Amino acid sequence: MSALKLMRCSSCPRLRASIGIGSVRHAASKPRHDYDLVVLGGGSAGLACAKEAADCGARVLCFDFVKPSPAGTRWGIGGTCVNVGCIPKKLMHQASLLGEAVHEAVAYGWNVNDQDLRPDWRKLVRSVQNHIKSVNWVTRVDLRDKKVEYVNSLGAFLDPHTIEYATRSGLERRQVTAEHVVVAVGGRPRYPDIPGAVELGITSDDIFSYEREPGRTLVVGAGYVGLECACFLKGLGYEPTVMVRSIVLRGFDRQMSELLAAMMAERGVPFLGTTIPRSVERQADGRLLVRYHNTATGADGSDVFDTVLWAIGRRGLVEDLHLPAAGVRTHGDKIVVDAAEATSVPHIFAVGDIVYGRPELTPVAILAGRLLARRLFAGATQLMDYADVATTVFTPLEYSCVGMSEETAIELRGADNIEVLHGYYKPTEFFIPQKSVRHCYLKAVAEISGDQKILGLHYIGPVAGEVIQGFAAALKSGLTVKTLLSTVGIHPTTAEEFTRLSITKRSGRDPTPASCCS
Ligand code: FAD
Ligand code: NDP
């Protein structure tokens, strides 16, 4: 390990212990740059990297700046997850689940007088925003405590080691130099290139702080964001319609995705299939007239909505970075990196959503950022493992999965080498409110031979995210069907179903249980 690295590692408590050096910091020669590390972007990836690097003794500066959305929404430090992503989404998801629970409570004997329960949207938004503001505050305190300098400005490359930014007043431009730069600028929602889209539509950047009730909402896009937003809006008593350009949840297991869409439709979320929007106009009554086109039938149509929410994917924020000044290679609006997150310029790295071809998920961003900091400043060598990352779509009955879809397994290994075990199940708590068994389904995609190594686990049901998180660790450790079926379940839970899978798809047997005990 170089003297410089050893000197830096000496302030990293974990590393001090593991490499057996004392707590005394050695005098350093004068550094060549203002900072050891400048991080561009204070979201999940950037903050994790900056804080870990500071823990390891590096001198760190982190830039974070949020341009207001076209609808004027702005927010503080912490990035997408905290402000306009995972956290507010999970809170709205929870609010919607509670509404459902209140209705189920009646079946369980609760006297709920007002059967027409409706949430107070403004109060919900206020509570969600208050929570976010408290997280913003804690984040700033944390940065200060960890001695990460924070500048609330957009950073851009002037040359490969120099970052330029505007001061708070915007009147002056300043420059800092860094030995290493980590780009973690994430992305923002896309808008379709049609009349009225930007002026009249909103996105996930706006919905969690939207001041007026969304009402009848057209959700355009059937990826994670589209389905999740449609579901919590439905659960909160509004009327979402999902416009699907091609298929729902591209990239996920097809059977699970179609099942999820069918479940949503059954719960009253209509889908406009093979349809694309053409224009949005404001009517005299203030509502929004959306014209659209069915690409399969060729038919044109229109409908009137209170809100139009674009959920058509996200674009990487490369445009403000002046990457050509540093020579960093891009692929469209994303940055190309190698296995060690290095860009085409060896001392410039990228982590999180801005990276080309990697999952756009917060835990991925955090772990990649943290591991990178340890490699840069603590002599560590561990690379981020992007395989078998578990994920959950937070629809009311969640869909969670880890590993391969059935299609991918068949494509990579051949249909004859794959066994799929599956089953519908009815959680105990579904019986009294008489909820459908059709809404919970699970399957394990495995090798057919030997102990049957499991390649993928898929699960639609209550709290699926919590269930799959544990199984994800097992899958990463080489879980087999043999081990799974010899694991004693916890009764009565829904996760237990994984230990009772007995029906193979190839047997053609009906995977519907006769009762809860079957
Ligand atoms: P970001 O969190 O976007 O942070 C980048 C930051 O850099 C931003 O603050 C940005 O304004 C700032 N910035 C941009 N350019 C510059 C610049 N030049 N200088 C300074 N600062 C700059 N993931 C999950 O795992 N689970 C979920 O449930 C989940 N739900 C989601 C729900 C929604 C609605 C959305 C949109 C996303 C969701 N995600 C979820 C994805 C998750 O939010 C992202 O993967 C994660 O936030 C990416 O982190 P990041 O640090 O790469 O980028
Ligand atoms: P996705 O890429 O997942 O989905 C975009 C959807 O919009 C697709 O259905 C796509 O259709 C459709 N679409 C794209 N362009 C158009 C267009 N011009 N007109 C009509 N429809 C269009 O993006 P999201 O915004 O939903 O999510 C972005 C990322 O954020 C996800 O990949 C995920 O990693 C992360 N995220 C994670 C969550 C979680 O962990 N629970 C929740 C939310 C987001 P088509 O299939 O035809 O291309």
Side-chain angles (χ1 to χ4, degrees):
M1 190 184 295
S2 72
L4 180 64
K5 275 206 174 124
L6 197 61
M7 178 275 293
R8 287 193 186 119
C9 292
S10 66
S11 68
C12 177
R14 279 192 299 268
L15 223 87
R16 267 205 314 271
S18 67
I19 61 178
I21 58 174
S23 59
V24 181
R25 274 195 96 175
H26 306 287
S29 55
K30 192 172 180 313
R32 281 171 52 215
H33 297 288
D34 300 333
Y35 295 92
D36 299 321
L37 174 67
V38 164
V39 177
L40 298 171
S44 308
L47 289 175
C49 185
K51 290 193 284 186
E52 191 72 14
D55 266 355
C56 292
R59 299 165 303 131
V60 185
L61 172 68
C62 178
F63 288 95
D64 188 62
F65 187 81
V66 180
K67 284 187 174 176
S69 76
T73 312
R74 52 180 78 226
W75 55 89
I77 191 164
T80 303
C81 172
V82 165
N83 295 284
V84 288
C86 331
I87 301 303
K89 183 276 304 293
K90 186 79 192 288
L91 295 173
M92 294 263 177
H93 172 62
Q94 176 65 8
S96 120
L97 289 179
L98 286 172
E100 198 175 322
V102 171
H103 289 289
E104 281 174 32
V106 177
Y108 276 97
W110 284 86
N111 286 314
V112 180
N113 293 328
D114 185 357
Q115 289 288 303
D116 188 28
L117 282 171
R118 291 289 297 271
D120 179 337
W121 172 262
R122 281 180 196 81
K123 188 172 174 191
L124 171 60
V125 165
R126 216 167 34 243
S127 304
V128 168
Q129 291 304 315
N130 285 344
H131 173 68
I132 291 171
K133 289 199 172 59
S134 73
V135 178
N136 296 151
W137 188 78
V138 168
T139 304
R140 294 183 71 143
V141 172
D142 199 26
L143 287 181
R144 199 189 56 209
D145 290 351
K146 287 190 162 21
K147 305 206 171 8
V148 173
E149 284 182 47
Y150 160 55
V151 173
N152 180 215
S153 184
L154 278 181
F157 285 96
L158 199 62
D159 65 48
H161 283 282
T162 310
I163 303 297
E164 190 176 50
Y165 66 100
T167 54
R168 208 174 172 76
S169 63
L171 296 175
E172 201 188 322
R173 292 200 70 77
R174 286 197 187 145
Q175 287 142 26
V176 291
T177 64
E179 186 177 347
H180 304 282
V181 181
V182 169
V183 182
V185 293
R188 294 291 286 269
R190 290 181 192 281
Y191 288 74
D193 187 14
I194 57 168
V198 178
E199 306 86 318
L200 300 173
I202 62 167
T203 68
S204 53
D205 279 357
D206 310 297
I207 188 71
F208 304 112
S209 56
Y210 206 46
E211 303 231 319
R212 62 177 178 79
E213 291 196 272
R216 188 153 196 265
T217 303
L218 177 65
V219 178
V220 182
Y224 280 89
V225 175
L227 298 193
E228 290 183 342
C229 289
C231 282
F232 73 67
L233 288 173
K234 181 69 190 170
L236 292 170
Y238 304 109
E239 290 173 69
T241 296
V242 180
M243 186 179 280
V244 190
R245 178 168 73 171
S246 56
I247 52 172
V248 296
L249 290 179
R250 177 182 300 285
F252 283 86
D253 185 281
R254 287 325 310 149
Q255 184 196 9
M256 302 304 284
S257 304
E258 297 304 334
L259 196 62
L260 193 70
M263 181 190 87
M264 286 174 63
E266 209 177 296
R267 287 169 167 235
V269 178
F271 285 82
L272 283 171
T274 54
T275 301
I276 52 169
R278 287 281 202 225
S279 65
V280 186
E281 295 159 43
R282 192 176 296 284
Q283 298 189 143
D285 64 359
R287 301 185 79 207
L288 302 173
L289 173 69
V290 181
R291 296 184 201 279
Y292 48 78
H293 176 73
N294 187 315
T295 54
T297 65
D300 290 322
S302 67
D303 204 345
V304 177
F305 298 90
D306 300 299
T307 304
V308 175
L309 190 143
W310 308 117
I312 62 166
R314 297 169 66 79
R315 64 187 169 86
L317 292 180
V318 286
E319 73 258 11
D320 294 317
L321 290 171
H322 299 164
L323 290 176
V328 172
R329 222 182 102 216
T330 55
H331 184 282
D333 55 17
K334 298 278 179 127
I335 294 178
V336 180
V337 299
D338 64 14
E341 277 82 30
T343 68
S344 48
V345 183
H347 70 276
I348 301 176
F349 300 81
V351 278
D353 282 10
I354 194 62
V355 174
Y356 172 68
R358 301 259 165 90
E360 295 176 17
L361 296 169
T362 280
V364 171
I366 290 175
L367 191 55
R370 208 172 269 160
L371 292 176
L372 171 60
R374 285 181 204 158
R375 291 197 301 275
L376 288 178
F377 301 109
T381 53
Q382 189 186 345
L383 296 174
M384 174 71 190
D385 179 3
Y386 291 93
D388 295 333
V389 171
T391 184
T392 300
V393 187
F394 290 92
T395 36
L397 285 171
E398 298 169 5
Y399 166 33
S400 193
C401 60
V402 59
M404 292 184 202
S405 67
E406 196 175 331
E407 295 78 25
T408 306
I410 289 172
E411 191 189 319
L412 295 181
R413 306 290 178 94
D416 291 344
N417 300 315
I418 296 299
E419 189 77 282
V420 177
L421 290 127
H422 69 152
Y424 287 97
Y425 66 98
K426 190 158 180 167
T428 310
E429 54 273 28
F430 272 31
F431 280 86
I432 287 180
Q434 296 185 359
K435 292 168 81 172
S436 171
V437 68
R438 288 279 146 210
H439 290 174
C440 298
Y441 178 77
L442 69 164
K443 72 176 173 184
V445 180
E447 291 174 352
I448 203 162
S449 56
D451 288 345
Q452 298 189 275
K453 186 171 190 292
I454 293 185
L455 306 171
L457 291 172
H458 300 264
Y459 178 97
I460 290 179
V463 294
E466 307 291 345
V467 171
I468 287 295
Q469 180 66 86
F471 283 111
L475 189 132
K476 244 181 151 35
S477 309
L479 181 68
T480 61
V481 170
K482 188 175 174 210
T483 307
L484 189 64
L485 300 188
S486 62
T487 302
V488 178
I490 301 171
H491 190 67
T493 65
T494 53
E496 177 190 20
E497 291 303 318
F498 271 118
T499 66
R500 309 201 304 185
L501 281 168
S502 60
I503 299 175
T504 62
K505 261 196 177 176
R506 82 177 61 241
S507 74
R509 279 172 55 206
D510 182 359
T512 314
S515 77
C516 74
C517 300
S518 65

